[in-house]
Amino acid sequence: MTKWGIDDKLHLSLSNIDHRLVNTLKENKIILDDDINERNMVKNILEETNNVNDVLEFTIIPSLACNFSCWYCYENHNNKEHISQPEIKHIVLALEKIIKNKPEITTFKISFFGGEPLLFFKSVVVPLIEDIKKDPLLDTLTIKVGFTTNGYLISNKFIKYFTENPILEAIQVTLDGNKERHNKVRFSFKGDNSYKKITNNIIDCLKHKINIVLRLNISEDTKLDIAKLLHEFVNIEEAKQYLHISIQKVWQSDYSVYDTIDKLLAESRSLGFDSASYFTYPSSIWSTCYADKANNMVINPNGKVFKCTARNFSPVQEEGHIAENGDIRWNAIHEKRIHLSPINDKECINCNIFPICAGGCSQKVLEDKIGRRGIFPWMSLHSPN
């Protein structure tokens, strides 16, 4: 076995293990024959994962403006620019050119992010979707739409539009604890009870069979009573089918918060809700970050193109732009990201945990002056020491 396999020092004899178990382990590639080159196998899997050729995804940022002011948000909401009507045309032209050059693409996903994308539902979201739907060059595409929103502006018009246009996959909405805690953290500029407004909007969506990913942000100060929170939805017949719980650490919080998340996750599942945390579906060679996928891009106002949404969209993170003719003109930063593939990194490819790490966060590697990698804050395969 190679270093990714069973340690030869264990002197494990597979002949002493039930053959059904051995077959299952082999089928799932948990154990491999000695003549299989695991490194090449892992390289091939990672290449296939990052180069899925039949799906294209645009994350659209209508604006960085937001109706909330959450303490942990990394974005600059003072930037009031928004995608203009001409820029919508440029995005559609870019889509046409990509589909012409890559006819194997059959599914187009649009994920609306922000800022708060629903501030521009009427002026950006609907016109963009309608222009794509009506474009004869794009009529073979299966269109799927998603939103990351604070949920405050979900309206009857929003629900009606996607009831009539059944292309909405899911909406991610965030709550920051129970009512009192949430209203201290996620407050609208109106200063009203955002918790009640958001939970009512979630209920309206569930009644119309719209999938809701309810993200529960957890910090050291959250003190969430998850049973009380989920009680808001227990009388909704559709809740157990269309409500999905995602319990996540606020990024500035200590890693010890995961102990709390594990307990909340167990309790949520015990109540019968589909529930997950970051470690339920961790990154791996089979499931990489959207920023590492060739057919994914993030589009901001003024046609600016990025790859990662977990940054503040400053000029130093811009990786290209969409020209008026629809050409996507990538810059040197994007070229650097491509060449930073862990497949090209000898230390990465020889690391014991590479198959489950897949090289760590490419954005952090891109920003690191010496290109250090590692999925944990204390780990670096390229440590100067």
Side-chain angles (χ1 to χ4, degrees):
M1 288 289 181
T2 71
K3 66 190 299 183
W4 289 343
I6 296 172
D7 191 337
D8 289 332
K9 294 179 181 178
L10 294 177
H11 299 294
L12 181 62
S13 174
L14 297 182
S15 62
N16 295 330
I17 301 177
D18 188 293
H19 72 278
R20 293 168 297 180
L21 175 57
V22 172
N23 289 338
T24 299
L25 293 174
K26 285 186 175 181
E27 288 170 5
N28 289 280
K29 297 182 172 60
I30 296 171
I31 60 174
L32 299 168
D33 292 328
D34 289 337
D35 59 352
I36 293 178
N37 188 317
E38 293 176 77
R39 290 181 181 81
N40 285 343
M41 182 182 74
V42 169
K43 286 181 182 180
N44 292 337
I45 292 172
L46 186 58
E47 282 287 311
E48 290 174 7
T49 301
N50 286 338
N51 293 280
V52 174
N53 59 14
D54 60 343
V55 178
L56 173 68
E57 182 165 0
F58 285 0
T59 298
I60 304 292
I61 315 286
S63 173
L64 293 179
C66 188
N67 55 329
F68 277 24
S69 181
C70 307
W71 68 268
Y72 48 72
C73 187
Y74 50 83
E75 292 182 3
N76 175 18
H77 298 316
N78 293 323
N79 186 338
K80 305 302 182 184
E81 293 177 331
H82 64 275
I83 291 177
S84 65
Q85 293 304 306
E87 287 165 12
I88 289 175
K89 303 300 182 185
H90 303 161
I91 292 171
V92 176
L93 283 173
L95 178 57
E96 287 179 356
K97 290 194 171 187
I98 292 173
I99 298 304
K100 182 179 179 179
N101 292 327
K102 297 181 177 181
E104 66 273 16
I105 293 174
T106 58
T107 300
F108 176 55
K109 294 186 176 183
I110 321 172
S111 298
F112 290 98
F113 196 74
E116 172 47 53
L118 295 187
L119 284 169
F120 300 89
F121 178 68
K122 183 178 179 180
S123 61
V124 177
V125 172
V126 172
L128 177 59
I129 293 174
E130 289 300 313
D131 280 3
I132 293 169
K133 284 172 53 186
K134 294 173 184 176
D135 192 325
L137 299 177
L138 305 173
D139 60 3
T140 60
L141 289 177
T142 297
I143 301 172
K144 298 181 179 181
V145 177
F147 288 85
T148 298
T149 169
N150 56 45
Y152 189 88
L153 296 175
I154 294 173
S155 63
N156 290 333
K157 289 183 179 179
F158 174 92
I159 293 173
K160 183 175 185 292
Y161 179 80
F162 284 111
T163 300
E164 294 172 351
N165 297 275
I167 56 177
L168 181 59
E169 277 197 303
I171 309 170
Q172 178 177 289
V173 180
T174 302
L175 291 176
D176 274 75
N178 300 104
K179 179 179 177 181
E180 183 179 352
R181 167 69 181 173
H182 172 91
N183 285 337
K184 287 181 179 179
V185 176
R186 297 179 72 82
F187 53 88
S188 73
F189 289 119
K190 292 182 179 180
D192 57 356
N193 183 353
S194 72
Y195 180 89
K196 190 62 178 175
K197 173 77 170 171
I198 293 167
T199 53
N200 284 342
N201 289 344
I202 290 173
I203 289 170
D204 287 343
C205 287
L206 294 174
K207 288 180 177 179
H208 286 84
K209 299 181 179 180
I210 294 174
N211 281 300
I212 296 288
V213 177
L214 179 56
R215 177 176 174 131
L216 303 178
N217 280 346
I218 307 299
S219 69
E220 291 87 346
D221 301 320
T222 305
K223 314 301 182 199
L224 174 64
D225 183 340
I226 196 167
K228 182 178 179 181
L229 186 150
L230 293 178
H231 186 71
E232 303 274 0
F233 312 107
V234 292
N235 294 323
I236 309 303
E237 183 179 348
E238 298 84 1
K240 295 293 177 68
Q241 183 175 355
Y242 294 99
L243 183 63
H244 314 276
I245 311 303
S246 177
I247 309 174
Q248 304 293 339
K249 181 180 82 70
V250 172
W251 66 277
Q252 293 98 330
S253 295
D254 187 79
Y255 279 80
S256 61
V257 168
Y258 282 118
D259 293 334
T260 301
I261 289 175
D262 287 343
K263 295 175 183 177
L264 294 171
L265 186 63
E267 187 173 0
S268 178
R269 287 172 174 169
S270 72
L271 295 170
F273 288 90
D274 174 35
S275 307
S277 71
Y278 174 80
F279 293 107
T280 305
Y281 305 106
S283 296
S284 70
I285 56 174
W286 295 275
S287 177
T288 57
C289 175
Y290 57 88
D292 294 324
K293 298 185 187 300
N295 279 353
N296 284 50
M297 65 189 73
V298 181
I299 302 172
N300 276 31
N302 297 317
K304 297 175 182 177
V305 180
F306 299 79
K307 290 290 284 184
C308 175
T309 61
R311 293 296 184 271
N312 62 4
F313 302 114
S314 67
V316 297
Q317 283 138 9
E318 185 179 334
E319 300 194 25
H321 72 277
I322 299 177
E324 291 185 4
N325 66 354
D327 285 347
I328 299 174
R329 297 173 181 169
W330 299 103
N331 61 26
I333 297 175
H334 183 67
E335 293 301 318
K336 183 179 178 182
R337 181 190 293 275
I338 293 173
H339 292 300
L340 281 174
S341 169
I343 290 175
N344 301 325
D345 190 304
K346 289 183 179 179
E347 290 193 64
C348 253
I349 208 69
N350 288 314
C351 176
N352 284 355
I353 63 169
F354 179 64
I356 60 171
C357 165
C361 173
S362 62
Q363 184 66 34
K364 291 181 179 179
V365 178
L366 193 65
E367 295 165 355
D368 193 280
K369 292 181 180 179
I370 58 175
R372 290 175 295 184
R373 291 187 177 276
I375 57 173
F376 303 113
W378 59 84
M379 186 184 96
S380 172
L381 300 182
H382 287 177
S383 171
N385 298 323

